[in-house]
Amino acid sequence: MTRLLPKRLWSWAALLFGLAYFILPLIGMTEFSLKMRRGVYSFDAYVKVLEDPKFQETFSFSVFMALFTIVFGVLLVVPTAYWVRLKLPRLRPYIEFVTLLPLVIPAIVIVFGYIRLYNTSSWLPLTGTAAGTNLLLMFGYATLSLPYMYRAVDTGLRTIDIATLTEAAQSLGAGWGTILGRIILPNVLVAVLSGAFVTFAIVLGEFTMAALLNRPAFGPYMQLLGANRAYEPAALAVIAFGITWGCIAIIQLVARFAPKPATPVKDL
Amino acid sequence: MTETPYLEIAGISKSFGSTQVVRQADISVARGEFVSFLGPSGCGKTTILRMVGGFETPSQGVIRIDGRDVTHLKPSQRNIGMVFQSYALFPNLTVAGNIGFGLKVAGASRGEISSRVEEMLALIKLPQLADRYPWQLSGGQQQRVALARAIAPRPSVLLLDEPLSALDAKIRVSLREEIRAIQRELGITTIFVTHDQEEALSMSDRVMVMNAGRIEQIGTPFEVYNRPATAFVASFVGTLSLLEAVVSDRASGEVRVEGVPLAGLRIPERLANGDAVRLALRPESLRLDGRDGDQQFEARVTVVDFLGSVIRIRLQLGGTRISLDSFNDPTRPPPSVDETMQVHFDPQSVLVLAD
Ligand SMILES: Nc1ncnc2c1ncn2[C@@H]1O[C@H](COP(=O)(O)OP(=O)(O)OP(=O)(O)O)[C@@H](O)[C@H]1O
Ligand SMILES: [Mg+2]
């Protein structure tokens, strides 16, 4: 007991230090964001930010981009991860490696690659139109979120016995579309959603790609605001932080209603 | 087989890479028949079943259902019901959703689906569980739902791969009877894979015994148990004591075991005097009392297991251990250990196996 006590104390100290490390800057920032009016706390900075038409414009642009990216990412990743687990299990380490590449290759390299390949004088001049550029940007976002999306879905697939469920569905007459849409996707929905929220957060904060492709996204707007104002960036940071925590709360909530695997399944 | 076969497996072989796991299998199953595949682990039972289901393609041979060649059809085109050892219910669907899945895929109307689901729930005696999810059910309930799901779309053949192996003993026995009753009621042609001989013998119209990719025997449980075609079947199905013997007089069916002559046995044609053979004896065909025409030998008692209605006695004859089952007789206490006693048997019940 006498030897255990100091050990306990140390763990508490470590925890408190960790909490302070994260929470103190947050408190400081929040406090600062409320100080726009001299002498009293007020939400002036928040009102200013939210009323700015530029904010509304860029924020909604990025939200739409995020939604498209998520849909595209799900359509790309779920069937791929499923197929690899089902038919090509030996390729899994390689596929996983490929999905991790975006963490190593800087976004700026990807964008320059895009601009070189799809400029107005190329064979596929995507950068020539706003819609084409948006499409490119979405591909870029999907690439950036690939490591998180793929891992989330792959982990989700591990909790169900996809091989047997697939065979059961096939014997009942189901084709691939039905199997993916009615069996696989619903069973990895929580994993897909957590991947989706990470994607959402990445897209909202992304700066390099949007700036270089010259799209009116939220990331460049935050940068601009941060460079030119005092109180508003702090307010914006608190708002962004709130959105992130909202996402996490939603993930937790959804997880509670997720289908549970009926029997514990061994890994492949 | 007098009837024309409904499911016909003709000359099927299957190799994975260079290893052949099924060799030249021929089985014909009549409409409504219940056939078990019985054999040790890894003998190829599941592989044949999966070829019937369409999940593996035979390297050779043809599979026909009701006269139609299905060898190269996709699983989804075969109209086959599958039940798996691991239940494999869809975790995101309710019991009703699971049972109705096949009909929904086939494009049946809502009304049709719900009435069929209700019918199936009544059949498996779980009408109150329609809205439960699989994780809210016990193993036995899950497997019954899996059975209902497989038969709801009225499959032409029902395939079950060790459906009872994951359940505990009590439920296994009751579900065994239930499956058989439902199968009879609906008259579904059924293949049941198991490595539990009791299951195979008690449920089936016919049993197919397999070993190392080869079919050893196909016959009724009675035939397989009492007239095993090969030494493997004899030793795999039921308990068996094997006695080393030498043919001493072919004509009178006499062999010698440890020098003791035993006569009146059925000795296969191809054996000659002096050939070494093994006598296969079932525990229940050995007796403590002799009857007319019985042969006997002397053996030493090593173990006496009192099992209630049955007494299982283990004996030693030379270097061989022998099991004897006798019904309990309240008027006579069982023999004691180390006692030497006479063992009697009907020579016709002995199987003479060539070495
Ligand atoms: N996809 C596969 N690739 C390679 N070998 C396989 C494959 N499937 C089965 N085998 C091999 O084929 C043999 C027969 O397997 P099968 O699953 O049919 O056996 P089984 O009789 O069902 O055994 P058990 O009672 O253990 O289920 C085994 O040796 C197995 O290792
Ligand atoms: Mg098997």
Side-chain angles (χ1 to χ4, degrees):
Chain A
M1 248 355 253
T2 44
R3 284 187 60 85
L4 269 178
L5 202 64
K7 225 176 183 178
R8 282 275 280 278
L9 267 175
W10 274 116
S11 0
W12 276 107
L15 181 68
L16 285 178
F17 177 75
L19 282 177
Y21 187 87
F22 283 111
I23 288 176
L24 284 181
L26 246 164
I27 295 176
M29 187 174 68
T30 312
E31 205 233 356
F32 182 71
S33 74
L34 296 172
K35 274 187 166 167
M36 196 175 191
R37 204 179 297 174
R38 240 164 229 281
V40 286
Y41 286 136
S42 73
F43 285 103
D44 285 8
Y46 291 84
V47 174
K48 259 233 158 94
V49 167
L50 294 175
E51 275 182 347
D52 183 357
K54 265 293 201 216
F55 166 83
Q56 292 162 11
E57 208 176 285
T58 57
F59 188 75
S60 49
F61 175 83
S62 284
V63 167
F64 272 110
M65 285 307 289
L67 292 180
F68 281 116
T69 307
I70 288 166
V71 171
F72 175 73
V74 169
L75 289 180
L76 178 74
V77 168
V78 173
T80 309
Y82 167 70
W83 198 254
V84 169
R85 266 196 176 266
L86 189 68
K87 300 276 181 179
L88 311 164
R90 264 177 296 170
L91 287 189
R92 242 183 81 212
Y94 303 103
I95 302 280
E96 210 161 292
F97 176 75
V98 170
T99 62
L100 288 178
L101 284 179
L103 292 182
V104 196
I105 300 172
I108 196 160
V109 173
I110 299 173
V111 187
F112 274 124
Y114 278 169
I115 291 173
R116 264 197 86 112
L117 269 176
Y118 303 112
N119 64 37
T120 41
S121 55
S122 73
W123 57 281
L124 189 60
L126 280 178
T127 53
T129 60
T133 316
N134 286 346
L135 191 69
L136 266 189
L137 186 59
M138 186 192 77
F139 289 152
Y141 286 159
T143 310
L144 289 185
S145 60
L146 193 60
Y148 310 99
M149 197 56 142
Y150 191 86
R151 299 223 125 210
V153 171
D154 197 50
T155 311
L157 285 174
R158 206 176 58 193
T159 62
I160 53 171
D161 182 358
I162 56 164
T164 316
L165 290 182
T166 300
E167 290 184 355
Q170 283 179 319
S171 71
L172 292 165
W176 293 115
T178 312
I179 294 173
L180 273 168
R182 294 220 197 128
I183 306 298
I184 302 301
L185 190 59
N187 280 302
V188 295
L189 204 56
V190 173
V192 166
L193 281 177
S194 64
F197 287 123
V198 175
T199 307
F200 191 80
I202 288 176
V203 172
L204 274 193
E206 208 282 333
F207 171 77
T208 317
M209 289 189 166
L212 285 175
L213 288 173
N214 197 22
R215 299 311 301 150
F218 192 55
Y221 169 75
M222 281 202 288
Q223 194 273 339
L224 194 73
L225 202 68
N228 299 311
R229 299 289 170 86
Y231 298 98
E232 286 94 332
L236 199 57
V238 172
I239 292 172
F241 192 77
I243 293 171
T244 313
W245 276 86
C247 287
I248 293 173
I250 294 172
I251 295 176
Q252 297 295 328
L253 202 70
V254 173
R256 208 170 288 175
F257 297 106
K260 298 177 178 56
T263 40
V265 188
K266 350 177 242 322
D267 199 353
L268 285 175
Chain B
M1 293 285 326
T2 48
E3 282 175 84
T4 53
Y6 182 69
L7 167 64
E8 201 182 349
I9 296 169
I12 289 290
S13 297
K14 176 71 184 174
S15 302
F16 290 110
S18 59
T19 45
Q20 198 174 13
V21 299
V22 175
R23 300 155 195 266
Q24 286 293 324
D26 289 292
I27 316 141
S28 294
V29 182
R31 190 187 291 266
E33 196 179 17
F34 190 111
V35 173
S36 289
F37 290 3
L38 177 65
S41 189
C43 71
K45 309 179 293 287
T46 298
T47 305
I48 297 188
L49 198 79
R50 289 171 60 79
M51 288 192 281
V52 176
F55 301 111
E56 306 282 0
T57 314
S59 316
Q60 228 180 66
V62 184
I63 297 170
R64 286 189 205 89
I65 296 175
D66 206 6
R68 187 168 70 126
D69 184 344
V70 299
T71 319
H72 297 288
L73 288 186
K74 283 192 248 168
S76 55
Q77 300 168 327
R78 293 194 185 197
N79 190 26
I80 268 172
M82 277 286 261
V83 177
F84 302 85
Q85 182 178 347
S86 57
Y87 323 135
L89 293 178
F90 305 129
N92 58 312
L93 299 179
T94 59
V95 166
N98 268 282
I99 297 176
F101 185 84
L103 294 166
K104 196 166 175 186
V105 168
S109 72
R110 266 164 179 269
E112 202 178 324
I113 294 173
S114 71
S115 73
R116 182 70 175 163
V117 166
E118 222 165 278
E119 197 182 321
M120 289 295 112
L121 283 169
L123 194 67
I124 59 170
K125 304 194 183 80
L126 296 174
Q128 71 285 9
L129 299 185
D131 297 322
R132 293 265 189 99
Y133 282 91
W135 56 272
Q136 297 170 309
L137 304 178
S138 72
Q141 290 171 333
Q142 286 190 51
Q143 197 57 301
R144 279 191 276 173
V145 173
L147 178 69
R149 177 181 69 176
I151 56 187
R154 298 186 176 82
S156 49
V157 177
L158 179 64
L159 308 176
L160 305 104
D161 192 354
E162 307 204 21
L164 306 176
S165 305
L167 302 168
D168 35 286
K170 263 221 174 99
I171 300 168
R172 207 182 303 163
V173 173
S174 67
L175 199 50
R176 183 202 284 178
E177 287 158 8
E178 212 167 310
I179 290 177
R180 182 58 166 143
I182 290 173
Q183 186 269 341
R184 272 216 181 92
E185 187 178 331
L186 303 181
I188 312 177
T189 311
T190 302
I191 297 181
F192 185 97
V193 166
T194 178
H195 55 236
D196 180 335
Q197 44 156 314
E198 194 183 301
E199 233 165 68
L201 295 176
S202 65
M203 295 177 80
S204 322
D205 292 317
R206 285 190 303 153
V207 178
M208 176 187 96
V209 185
M210 281 188 76
N211 184 32
R214 230 181 265 286
I215 298 178
E216 298 266 334
Q217 185 173 9
I218 307 177
T220 62
F222 184 86
E223 284 166 358
V224 167
Y225 189 85
N226 294 305
R227 300 272 166 263
T230 65
F232 174 81
V233 177
S235 59
F236 188 75
V237 182
T239 313
L240 204 68
S241 310
L242 287 170
L243 284 178
E244 304 284 343
V246 176
V247 180
S248 50
D249 184 8
R250 252 220 62 104
S252 65
E254 190 195 74
V255 302
R256 282 172 190 271
V257 177
E258 309 267 329
V260 181
L262 301 169
L265 278 62
R266 284 181 308 181
I267 296 175
E269 297 284 317
R270 61 204 149 93
L271 293 175
N273 285 349
D275 281 351
V277 292
R278 278 180 299 171
L279 307 187
L281 294 160
R282 297 276 186 215
E284 69 273 17
S285 53
L286 298 177
R287 292 191 280 262
L288 300 171
D289 313 297
R291 296 181 197 165
D292 278 355
D294 269 9
Q295 297 287 306
Q296 64 256 331
F297 56 85
E298 215 175 51
R300 188 172 58 83
V301 177
T302 56
V303 180
V304 177
D305 283 333
F306 186 73
L307 305 174
S309 64
V310 170
I311 303 168
R312 172 157 291 185
I313 301 167
R314 272 179 244 273
L315 303 144
Q316 187 92 24
L317 173 64
T320 316
R321 313 183 109 243
I322 302 165
S323 286
L324 179 156
D325 283 355
S326 173
F327 280 115
N328 173 38
D329 179 354
T331 63
R332 197 168 77 175
S336 47
V337 173
D338 271 343
E339 186 180 316
T340 300
M341 55 176 272
Q342 290 289 325
V343 178
H344 307 262
F345 63 93
D346 177 352
Q348 291 294 308
S349 70
V350 177
L351 222 66
V352 181
L353 305 169
D355 257 350

